[in-house]
Amino acid sequence: MEIAECRTEDLEALERRMPSHSVDGSHAARFARQRAGESTYLIPWREGSPVGHAEIRWTGCEAPEVQAALPGCPEINGLFVWPASLRSRGVGTALVHTAERLARERGIGAMGLGVGDDNARAAALYARLGYLPTVAYVDRWVHLTAEGVRQERADSCVFLVKAL
């Protein structure tokens, strides 16, 4: 497996393999933030196919509760492994380690990430990797249904932080 920054030519393969329905979390939106210098969009590749993604938002988590408590703390956002059969096989861990390495190379001393209250599996992974609960918040986001209808979502989450 290789992890690389997203390139323009990767967007079609990402959309075909892992269609995005989130408005600000779409592959194109993440890539646009990367091009603007606000983030780094990481793609793990296995046998020529993308098998997940994670975006390092250098500007931090957008939730007001997190911004107030941890201004300037970068966030690993949208960590996803696909297909599901590849989960618990080290792909997510490799993405987190790559994000942490990139942060250390920038002289950043901490990394954060959010996890939904209902996602015990991911929370267990992040705890094993040394992330500690810091701030409870509500993650608000918008996605499009298969019919293109815009729907707003709100998920209870906790923001976890690790000193690097």
Side-chain angles (χ1 to χ4, degrees):
M1 180 181 67
E2 174 192 357
I3 296 176
E5 288 186 22
C6 186
R7 305 166 303 166
T8 303
E9 57 267 28
D10 299 336
L11 293 175
E12 184 179 325
L14 285 165
E15 198 61 46
R16 188 175 52 251
R17 178 107 165 147
M18 297 168 280
S20 55
H21 301 287
S22 172
V23 173
D24 71 341
S26 71
H27 303 298
R30 288 181 169 129
F31 184 67
R33 283 191 293 273
Q34 176 178 278
R35 292 192 64 160
E38 299 169 3
S39 74
T40 301
Y41 192 27
L42 300 173
I43 311 299
W45 295 86
R46 185 171 179 230
E47 299 172 5
S49 293
V51 294
H53 54 75
E55 180 184 14
I56 310 166
R57 290 194 177 189
W58 300 113
T59 54
C61 178
E62 292 182 347
E65 305 93 327
V66 178
Q67 282 289 327
L70 299 161
C73 180
E75 173 195 31
I76 300 172
N77 183 279
L79 194 150
F80 182 70
V81 175
W82 185 259
S85 62
L86 290 179
R87 294 179 186 150
S88 298
R89 296 184 183 258
V91 178
T93 297
L95 282 165
V96 171
H97 286 162
T98 299
E100 292 171 351
R101 178 182 53 79
L102 292 173
R104 282 192 300 275
E105 288 173 1
R106 288 178 174 230
I108 295 170
M111 178 64 77
L113 50 82
V115 64
D117 290 349
D118 61 348
N119 195 345
R121 186 175 181 178
L125 167 65
Y126 304 145
R128 279 195 310 276
L129 294 175
Y131 286 79
L132 301 173
T134 306
V135 180
Y137 70 102
V138 176
D139 184 23
R140 298 179 192 286
W141 54 286
V142 176
H143 75 99
L144 302 175
T145 66
E147 298 78 28
V149 177
R150 183 180 168 99
Q151 292 188 336
E152 295 184 17
R153 297 279 311 264
D155 300 317
S156 295
C157 297
V158 65
F159 197 76
L160 312 170
V161 177
K162 177 181 178 179
L164 301 178

